[in-house]
Amino acid sequence: VELWTFIDNYRFVSGKMVHLTVQLLWKLGINVNTEKFENVDLSPFKVENVTIGERQIFNNDRDYQLITFMLSLPDDKGEGLYTIPSITIPYKDEVDKITGQATTSPIPLKKVPIMVEASVDKDVVNLGDRVHYKITIWHERYIEILKDNLKTFKFDPFKMLDCDFREETDGRLKKLIVDYEISVYDLAEEENTLEIPSFPVLYYKQTDEVPEREEGEELFVTQQVSAPAILVLMNSLLK
């Protein structure tokens, strides 16, 4: 019996679910007690929901199942590192009449005050097409985003045509959505895969007290998180 774990993101912010997928793989003739997945203790995370998938064929002598967990962290937990503990599932070998246990490895995660997601409305385009590249910045209320560099960033080889800012509140979090309209008009010879580059999102933490500072010293310390790069495929033939 083997257990494999997959996490959608190793960084998370307040109020956002952590999606944990466990792949259970076992040889025929082995009986695995999958009901144990419904009652596992993953403290400090709280199990909000467990979905046990249908048994499926992996190959000639093995089957598999996918088990999906939706996890949350209590609101009183601050920023820092947290660990999803090991999951142990008992099994019985019906052929050799022996029992055993399969165990996952602990998974370290980090709760952060800000997180950036990126997407495009299409990832296969023609030369000159307009692409909407959207970044969504989730952040705690005490975080302030510096927007100037978001308006002036160079997306080479893409050209920025327009950008639109929208701010929303989602539960305990604030959300800044920046929708860029970009395009590319010139390509190097035989170049058909382009990258919308990663770029820094600068921010600082608000404090109730104004720190003393010397002349020329910054009033606050800026930090940064990066928006992920995205690949875009260019059509080599036009209609």
Side-chain angles (χ1 to χ4, degrees), residues 3-184:
L3 289 175
W4 298 86
T5 54
F6 305 92
I7 288 286
D8 58 342
N9 200 319
Y10 288 87
R11 298 162 66 88
F12 66 99
V13 290
S14 293
K16 303 298 287 182
M17 293 291 180
V18 175
H19 296 267
L20 167 67
T21 301
V22 177
Q23 178 175 288
L24 169 65
L25 188 69
W26 72 96
K27 289 186 177 181
L28 301 181
I30 302 294
N31 183 18
V32 184
N33 187 359
T34 56
E35 293 181 359
K36 292 290 186 180
F37 284 111
E38 298 179 355
N39 300 303
V40 294
D41 181 7
L42 298 180
S43 300
F45 291 90
K46 178 183 178 183
V47 179
E48 300 288 351
N49 187 54
V50 182
T51 302
I52 300 178
E54 296 293 328
R55 177 173 177 168
Q56 301 184 59
I57 297 173
F58 185 77
N59 56 23
N60 290 335
D61 64 347
R62 287 187 292 180
D63 286 349
Y64 79 96
Q65 271 181 289
L66 294 180
I67 299 90
T68 305
F69 295 88
M70 291 182 64
L71 309 177
S72 65
L73 193 68
D75 292 342
D76 58 353
K77 299 292 185 181
E79 299 171 26
L81 292 174
Y82 295 91
T83 300
I84 299 176
S86 300
I87 299 174
T88 299
I89 296 298
Y91 65 86
K92 182 178 181 180
D93 187 332
E94 300 291 356
V95 177
D96 297 328
K97 303 300 180 183
I98 58 175
T99 59
Q101 292 182 329
T103 303
T104 66
S105 298
I107 305 173
L109 303 179
K110 187 174 185 180
K111 183 178 179 182
V112 293
I114 182 171
M115 192 168 66
V116 182
E117 299 173 347
S119 63
V120 289
D121 62 339
K122 48 189 173 183
D123 54 11
V124 180
V125 299
N126 297 318
L127 199 66
D129 280 356
R130 296 188 172 217
V131 178
H132 283 275
Y133 169 63
K134 183 174 72 174
I135 64 169
T136 303
I137 307 170
W138 305 86
H139 63 92
E140 302 280 1
R141 293 174 182 269
Y142 58 84
I143 295 295
E144 287 291 332
I145 310 295
L146 300 181
K147 299 176 182 177
D148 287 347
N149 72 310
L150 298 179
K151 300 176 182 177
T152 59
F153 184 78
K154 303 298 183 182
F155 289 95
D156 296 337
F158 292 88
K159 303 296 182 184
M160 186 200 301
L161 306 177
D162 193 16
C163 69
D164 178 66
F165 287 76
R166 187 170 78 253
E167 293 186 277
E168 299 176 0
T169 300
D170 189 330
R172 294 180 53 199
L173 294 174
K174 286 187 175 181
K175 183 168 63 172
L176 174 63
I177 301 169
V178 188
D179 189 355
Y180 296 98
E181 192 173 41
I182 60 176
S183 188
V184 61

